[in-house]
């Protein structure tokens, strides 16, 4: 009887780690079945990232680790996925901080416009090296059972719209779709816009019907999700970088055997370069495709520095709002990040 209790306790513990004692790996070794959910679909950066991650883990572990990758949609909305990771229903997720905006206040730091350098490469270096993000912000997420193992860019963000946007006044009363984060709303209110949070699964139809008039995203996503088909303008504003996080459930991760944790960490680090190259190639390719799509002509407006400065000026007070109204540590993480950006900043 005791043996039975002990055995079932062990298998419960193992199941909680996505770990099977029966083992399908070589020589009867333990095997691991993990779920990895993404906010994007096949072909898009997050999904391809997770698939590559799964392949590398499979190879390194000699088939012991089996990661099932989920496209966006199958497991609910982006915020549903945040809850699934938090509760441990899924072990791994690529997550955008915008969808944790109502949970991890400090994570909204990525909503601040004109914070990171203009160069995507310099931004990625900061995401790799920053202690403010990789230590301090990570701890804030861990209070909610979410461990961000890495931060990586999916490219510079641009605006698409049904009317021209080249100066802040063009945003006056403009119905802007955003992710569900109070600071993203604040950022667009600072330009005079009327922001509405919604899942991207509803965005094509909402743009088509005029429920919203514009949105922000990296170019690959604008093209792959066909938003340019239902928009007339794309403004190259580079007002922010789209940052994604590779996240794991904190308790699950902490309870993994050491060698599995190391394999995960090592793969996460290797994938930083892969992700950079993937977004770079996809963003470049989609820019050409959008430019050459004569059936769905999109007017591309490239903002010059003076025009960007006008937006930068309006965006500046949002940092104070973050410090005073959003941050639970009086903006300490932002202060540190600003200093790191200054030190590592790049092109200026
Ligand atoms: O705009 C969005 O909500 C989506 N954009 C990207 C680049 N990835 C997933 C996210 O949900």
């Amino acid at each position: 009887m005791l043996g039975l209790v002990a055995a079932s306790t062990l298998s419960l513990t193992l199941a909680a780690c996505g770990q099977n004692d029966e083992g399908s790996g070589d020589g009867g070794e333990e095997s691991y079945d993990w779920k990895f959910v993404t906010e994007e679909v096949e072909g898009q950066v997050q999904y391809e990232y997770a698939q590559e991650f799964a392949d590398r883990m499979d190879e390194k572990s000699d088939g012991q680790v089996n990661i099932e990758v989920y496209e966006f949609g199958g497991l609910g909305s982006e915020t549903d996925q945040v809850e699934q990771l938090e509760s441990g229903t899924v072990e791994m997720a690529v997550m955008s901080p915008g969808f944790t905006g109502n949970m991890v206040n400090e994570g909204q730091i990525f909503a601040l416009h004109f914070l990171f350098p203009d160069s995507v490469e310099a931004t990625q270096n900061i995401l790799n090296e920053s202690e403010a993000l990789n230590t301090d912000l990570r701890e804030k997420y861990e209070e909610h059972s979410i461990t961000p193992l890495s931060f990586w860019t999916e490219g510079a963000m641009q605006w698409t719209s049904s009317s021209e946007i080249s100066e802040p006044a063009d945003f006056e009363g403009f119905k802007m779709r955003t992710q569900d984060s109070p600071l993203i709303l604040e950022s667009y209110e600072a330009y005079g816009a009327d922001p509405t949070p919604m899942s991207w699964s509803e965005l094509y139809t909402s743009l088509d019907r005029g429920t919203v008039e514009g949105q922000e995203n990296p170019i690959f996503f604008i093209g792959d999700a066909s938003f340019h088909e239902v928009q007339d303008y794309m403004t190259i504003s580079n007002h922010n970088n789209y940052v994604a996080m590779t996240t794991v459930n904190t308790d699950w991760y902490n309870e993994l055997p050491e060698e599995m944790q190391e394999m995960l960490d090592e793969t996460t680090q290797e994938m930083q370069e892969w992700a950079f190259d993937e977004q770079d190639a996809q963003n470049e390719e989609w820019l050409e495709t959008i430019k050459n799509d004569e059936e769905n002509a999109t007017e591309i407006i490239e903002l010059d520095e003076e025009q960007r400065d006008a937006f930068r000026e309006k965006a500046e007070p949002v940092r104070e709002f973050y410090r005073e109204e959003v941050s639970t540590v009086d903006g300490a993480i932002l202060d540190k990040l600003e200093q790191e950006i200054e030190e590592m900043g790049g092109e200026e």
Side-chain angles (χ1 to χ4, degrees):
M1 182 65 190
L2 250 185
L4 194 66
V5 172
S8 61
T9 310
L10 175 68
S11 64
L12 269 181
T13 315
L14 292 175
C17 300
Q19 191 174 340
N20 304 315
D21 52 347
E22 278 153 29
S24 53
D26 284 343
E29 277 180 315
E30 277 160 9
S31 65
Y32 300 82
D33 293 311
W34 303 336
K35 297 183 203 71
F36 195 163
V37 70
T38 74
E39 299 166 336
E40 296 177 6
V41 296
E42 200 176 337
Q44 297 177 344
V45 177
Q46 287 188 13
Y47 180 86
E48 295 305 317
Y49 171 98
Q51 202 58 64
E52 177 70 21
F53 199 110
D55 290 347
R56 289 184 185 209
M57 287 294 290
D58 176 58
E59 201 177 314
K60 283 184 199 189
S61 69
D62 270 337
Q64 245 184 298
V65 176
N66 170 40
I67 300 181
E68 190 166 351
V69 175
Y70 290 85
E71 277 187 304
F72 177 64
L75 297 179
S77 71
E78 300 93 336
T79 41
D80 292 333
Q81 294 183 177
V82 173
E83 283 166 25
Q84 286 151 11
L85 189 84
E86 192 190 10
S87 67
T89 320
V90 301
E91 287 85 4
M92 303 184 67
V94 179
M95 194 180 278
S96 304
F99 295 111
T100 62
N102 288 305
M103 180 199 268
V104 186
N105 283 16
E106 308 297 330
Q108 296 183 60
I109 203 163
F110 296 108
L112 295 169
H113 294 186
F114 302 100
L115 172 64
F116 287 100
D118 292 345
S119 146
V120 181
E121 200 169 1
T123 297
Q124 185 57 60
N125 285 339
I126 292 161
L127 297 177
N128 291 345
E129 302 299 330
S130 162
E131 190 182 289
L133 301 178
N134 293 289
T135 302
D136 303 352
L137 183 59
R138 174 170 163 156
E139 280 168 17
K140 288 288 164 199
Y141 270 92
E142 285 180 333
E143 289 171 13
H144 299 269
S145 303
I146 294 171
T147 294
L149 294 177
S150 64
F151 300 88
W152 42 277
T153 177
E154 293 193 60
M157 289 224 268
Q158 321 300 353
W159 294 312
T160 65
S161 51
S162 54
S163 55
E164 180 172 339
I165 294 180
S166 49
E167 56 178 345
D170 297 329
F171 266 127
E172 202 53 55
F174 183 88
K175 289 181 274 171
M176 182 75 177
R177 175 271 172 173
T178 68
Q179 294 183 343
D180 196 1
S181 158
L183 201 70
I184 300 184
L185 301 183
E186 185 70 25
S187 296
Y188 282 98
E189 279 162 6
Y191 296 145
D194 176 14
T196 306
M198 86 175 49
S199 166
W200 81 261
S201 58
E202 297 163 40
L203 187 49
Y204 181 94
T205 310
S206 299
L207 289 168
D208 197 23
R209 292 190 181 150
T211 319
V212 289
E213 299 163 292
Q215 61 86 43
E216 60 173 0
N217 254 308
I219 293 172
F220 87 86
F221 199 77
I222 292 168
D224 199 80
S226 307
F227 297 151
H228 68 292
E229 290 179 7
V230 285
Q231 295 273 262
D232 298 321
Y233 299 88
M234 179 163 77
T235 302
I236 306 297
S237 50
N238 294 324
H239 60 281
N240 200 356
N241 257 262
Y242 193 100
V243 174
M245 309 182 288
T246 300
T247 58
V248 291
N249 174 276
T250 305
D251 292 339
W252 168 81
Y253 173 75
N254 288 340
E255 283 161 22
L256 278 178
E258 209 179 310
E259 77 269 16
M260 279 302 144
Q261 231 183 56
E262 278 170 12
M263 207 184 282
L264 258 184
D265 288 348
E266 184 192 270
T267 308
T268 306
Q269 288 318 310
E270 284 169 19
M271 287 297 294
Q272 290 298 81
E273 201 178 327
W274 188 94
F276 184 85
D277 293 345
E278 182 68 16
Q279 63 76 31
D280 194 41
Q282 287 210 19
N283 280 312
E284 223 170 274
E285 222 176 288
W286 271 111
L287 179 59
E288 285 316 302
T289 308
I290 294 172
K291 274 185 185 166
N292 296 326
D293 185 352
E294 285 168 11
E295 234 175 88
N296 303 290
T298 305
E299 189 173 327
I300 299 181
I301 301 162
E302 250 181 88
L303 298 187
D304 61 28
E305 272 320 296
E306 206 176 310
Q307 287 171 309
R308 293 181 75 231
D309 280 347
F311 289 100
R312 203 190 301 266
E313 203 176 299
K314 297 267 178 198
E316 195 63 37
V318 183
R319 293 199 199 183
E320 276 330 293
F321 180 86
Y322 173 87
R323 284 190 171 90
E324 283 160 24
E325 306 291 332
V326 175
S327 171
T328 54
V329 288
D330 297 327
I333 296 180
L334 177 57
D335 293 343
K336 194 172 187 175
L337 181 61
E338 280 180 337
Q339 202 181 331
E340 290 170 339
I341 291 173
E342 212 179 299
E343 284 161 16
M344 295 186 252
E347 79 260 73
E348 277 90 12

